[in-house]
Amino acid sequence: MLYSTFDSLKESLNDNFFTSRIGDYINDNLNFNLELREYQKEALGRFDFYFNGFQHRKFPVQILFHMATGSGKTLIMAANILYLYNLGYRFFIFFVNSTNIIEKTRDNFLNPLSEKYLFAKKIKYNEKEVFIKEVLNFEGVNPDNINILFTTIQGLHTRLNYPKENSLTYEDFTDKEIVLISDEAHHLQTLTKSKLTGNEEEEKKSWENTVEKIFNSNSKNILLEFTATIDLGNPGIRAKYEDKIIYQYDLKQFRLDRYSKEIEVIEADLEPVERALQAVIISQYRRKVAEKYKKILKPIILLKSKTIKESKENYLSFLGTIKNLKTREIKSVISRSKGTILDDAFGYFKNNDISIDNLISELKEEFSEEKCMLLDSENIDEEKQLKLNSLERLDNEVRAIFAVNMLNEGWDVLNLFDIVRLYETRDGTYSHGHYKPGNTTMGEAQLIGRGARYFPFEIEGFKDKYRRKFDNDTENELRILEVLHYHSMKNPNYIDEIKNALTEIGILPEKYVQKDLFIKDSFKKTEIWNKGIVFINDRLNNPRIEILCLNDAKIEDIYKYEFRTGEIKEEFILSNIQETRLSKEISKGMKEYSINEFGENLIRTGLDKFEFYRFDNLKKYFPHLKSIKEFINSKSYLAGVKVQVSGPKYRISNLTNSDKFELTLFIVIKISDQARVNTSEFIGSKLFKAKLLKEIFGKNDGKKTLKLDSDSERVKEISTIDLSKKDWYAQNEIFGTSEEKEFLKFFDEVIEYLEEKYLDIALLRNERYFQLYDFEQGRPFEPDFLLILREKSKKITILQVFIEPKGDQFKDSNGLFTNSAEGWKQKFLIDLETEVEMDLKYENKKYKLLGLPFFNEKLKKYFKEEFEKNI
């Protein structure tokens, strides 16, 4: 295959061979908000090399980009257009099988006001501005423009084979160099796929034949094809595209590179509307987590029916269920949620003072009729189309879409997080004793693949907002923003079928591999194993005893609020005369108030509107508080809070009770939000308790079976060291990351120096055997390695050392870990030696507890210095 040839070139030269070939004029002429990712640079670099360096280039040029749904193929098309314009091409035809995709792409290419516009505001070549123009044909167009004809493949086929006046004809292409851009190109392969080679009449009727006639009308023409699904198992297609697939970046690689959401299937033995209710609760949980971390997200649910009739029935049933939702329905969900994502959701609601009544109110508002959409061929109009193409916009309030098949292709939405299958039928067939998934299941898998597009968000410590961040921290609350849930009935046969289909398209790993990790028999005979101690701490409820006032909880005591002035300005923008009319000018000012000036009764009324301000709840956050009265009147609490009010002078100097109440609500909401975020529910104990090593690592006779993704780097065994022969390593093998394997190489290099000082040396991989909890917030942490060392001295000292290798992807903007999202773990490890409060003595042996900074191959020098200094 062509892409394999290019892969070999890259391997033999260097990793940047293709990515370094992109001209500045491409980056300069693309929308500056759309930064090219590495794999997109790779695709464009290969494209350049094909035209400038590849000796086996064919004429006319036909190239296919096989790239995953959500990988930004449209941006690559835009960059290709800029590249080919620079080579002299001026005429482009964009075609696809779907009208919806045409409209969306037209908007992305032509509308500078669109949020997804692909080009710079001004496209310039050698300081000359170039314009993108839509055309109906190529006669009489400006040869300095980028001229694009947008059409469906069906429309192009009809216009050319059944021509009308002023429409395209085949003759229009004979004297022009045309670039054909085919999106969803697998629809173009009808002729090749069906092997219609002997029937000339059938060939003439095919879309593929129409495109080939245009393509072959000029030897300088170019055909660029883009698809996420090409059937290379079909011999005809494989033969045709052997020398045409320039880049292979499929869903499997897309997932491994962490550019997709992860997929979780939730199966429930429930009625369809009950499955839908579960999805609604998870969706609201997702939204609340996003709000907590100040991420703007409106998660979408897609509810899929088998037929239009069923879809309408499900839509009406859903609206009725939400409208009449009662406490008993929510309690019923709670009763069956233990150990599931729903359990996490209800735990979150409880910890954040969202009562069942509040939750019901929110669901009724968020999933009201005006925020749900019924969409099918009988229920589609321009307004729905606009809403469908702008689901990520803040002013689009749609939360749920009921559909049949309309959204299986060409639908790009990043905030789709839940898909609910509201039917139970299967349409697969048995062939040679094996069940083959039917078109319905494959269509569902394709839809899930589209929904797996990652919702980008920024968080401190992670460089790339477009990649998953919590693969190694699955307990993180924000992990819910990286997972798409597929809700299905409980049917083991169907679940196997959909998993197989998802595996086939690459969004699930092909298989899991089981690996056995066990304690060596030789290590089981040592004193460390039989009598050794490990000290670990507990997570405790945060008593917050140090919080004596709002400031101690990092809560602001000065706020700013602005009243609207009510001024009106009227301006005539199409008139030749610059005329502006203003309402009466209003004098503005600013005045500062203490909140206790508004009166205790008014403030108490404001507090009563929020469950957060119940005394028993306030006491959790401010343990020294004696009463609500003290909270209102004490300078340590609300009486010490000020608000700077700006607006019309007369109003801010003569506040009405309504104004005061508005200001009070504003302030108490701000305070409750800060209290929840700024203080943790938990802390980690500084008292580390002794546990027998063999109790922690010795369950099931010291053996643990690991289930690993077959595509994961963890599956590969370390090749440079035979750990089975290393007495210092307590287990049979390492199934870890590349960084962990690099640490073992480092350890093997320093072992002879350690043996000079220590009588016993044991290194163990912590494969979820134990957790530590950081002191500040009680966050769980599983250090990758535990090192136990016994000194050669009369006064026995045993060192217990926690070590955590960490990859480059977790570094902060300075190339370190200090300010990264993982930085708290490193700080905790370093603080261990000084923060642990007890003198660790056990059975007359002196113990010392240590943590080291993260091991990283590129920062090995610093780690080595700390290792030598401390150990």
Side-chain angles (χ1 to χ4, degrees), residues 657-708:
N657 279 341
S658 177
D659 292 334
K660 293 174 183 177
F661 193 62
E662 184 177 334
L663 289 166
T664 299
L665 292 180
F666 167 74
I667 291 168
V668 298
I669 288 172
K670 290 285 187 183
I671 288 173
S672 64
D673 287 346
Q674 293 173 77
R676 288 189 183 102
V677 172
N678 293 349
T679 62
S680 171
E681 287 291 313
F682 303 101
I683 58 172
S685 167
K686 293 187 177 181
L687 175 66
F688 278 63
K689 298 177 182 177
K691 306 278 186 183
L692 281 171
L693 179 71
K694 65 190 303 182
E695 284 183 5
I696 293 176
F697 285 86
K699 292 176 183 176
N700 196 27
D701 198 30
K703 180 180 177 181
K704 178 172 278 198
T705 300
L706 308 180
K707 184 181 179 183
L708 304 174

Side-chain angles (χ1 to χ4, degrees), residues 618-635:
L618 270 181
K619 188 80 172 169
K620 289 194 302 185
Y621 292 90
F622 307 102
H624 300 283
L625 189 66
K626 297 181 177 64
S627 65
I628 292 289
K629 188 177 184 69
E630 181 190 7
F631 186 71
I632 294 171
N633 295 317
S634 169
K635 291 283 186 183

Side-chain angles (χ1 to χ4, degrees), residues 592-798:
E592 186 172 275
Y593 289 92
S594 291
I595 190 173
N596 63 335
E597 294 179 53
F598 299 160
E600 182 178 337
N601 288 338
L602 185 145
I603 295 171
R604 188 181 286 269
T605 302
L607 296 179
D608 287 344
K609 294 184 74 67
F610 303 97
E611 290 192 29
F612 177 85
Y613 289 101
R614 294 196 323 263
F615 180 69
D616 59 340
N617 189 63
L618 270 181
K619 188 80 172 169
K620 289 194 302 185
Y621 292 90
F622 307 102
H624 300 283
L625 189 66
K626 297 181 177 64
S627 65
I628 292 289
K629 188 177 184 69
E630 181 190 7
F631 186 71
I632 294 171
N633 295 317
S634 169
K635 291 283 186 183
S636 297
Y637 301 107
L638 286 186
V641 173
K642 300 182 187 307
V643 57
Q644 296 173 347
V645 185
S646 57
K649 271 188 178 180
Y650 177 80
R651 184 176 182 183
I652 64 174
S653 299
N654 300 276
L655 295 178
T656 64
N657 279 341
S658 177
D659 292 334
K660 293 174 183 177
F661 193 62
E662 184 177 334
L663 289 166
T664 299
L665 292 180
F666 167 74
I667 291 168
V668 298
I669 288 172
K670 290 285 187 183
I671 288 173
S672 64
D673 287 346
Q674 293 173 77
R676 288 189 183 102
V677 172
N678 293 349
T679 62
S680 171
E681 287 291 313
F682 303 101
I683 58 172
S685 167
K686 293 187 177 181
L687 175 66
F688 278 63
K689 298 177 182 177
K691 306 278 186 183
L692 281 171
L693 179 71
K694 65 190 303 182
E695 284 183 5
I696 293 176
F697 285 86
K699 292 176 183 176
N700 196 27
D701 198 30
K703 180 180 177 181
K704 178 172 278 198
T705 300
L706 308 180
K707 184 181 179 183
L708 304 174
D709 183 334
S710 62
D711 300 321
S712 168
E713 63 176 338
R714 293 190 62 191
V715 173
K716 301 172 184 174
E717 296 180 359
I718 189 167
S719 58
T720 54
I721 308 173
D722 185 354
L723 292 174
S724 66
K725 297 179 180 178
K726 301 294 180 180
D727 292 337
W728 49 263
Y729 192 67
Q731 290 142 315
N732 61 309
E733 187 51 85
I734 173 77
F735 302 107
T737 65
S738 57
E739 211 68 40
E740 291 167 24
K741 292 166 186 173
E742 288 297 327
F743 165 70
L744 288 178
K745 293 179 190 176
F746 163 81
F747 195 83
D748 194 45
E749 292 168 0
V750 301
I751 189 65
E752 60 182 283
Y753 302 106
L754 295 177
E755 287 172 342
E756 293 176 5
K757 183 177 180 180
Y758 298 100
L759 183 65
D760 294 317
I761 301 169
L763 183 69
L764 297 97
R765 170 75 162 90
N766 176 25
E767 193 65 65
R768 308 206 74 166
Y769 289 103
F770 67 87
Q771 289 182 329
L772 304 178
Y773 301 94
D774 84 301
F775 302 129
E776 293 180 1
Q777 296 183 37
R779 289 167 288 192
F781 170 37
E782 298 173 5
D784 286 327
F785 291 99
L786 170 67
L787 175 62
I788 299 176
L789 303 165
R790 185 159 71 105
E791 290 185 349
K792 292 179 178 178
S793 63
K794 292 182 180 178
K795 188 177 182 180
I796 298 173
T797 299
I798 296 178

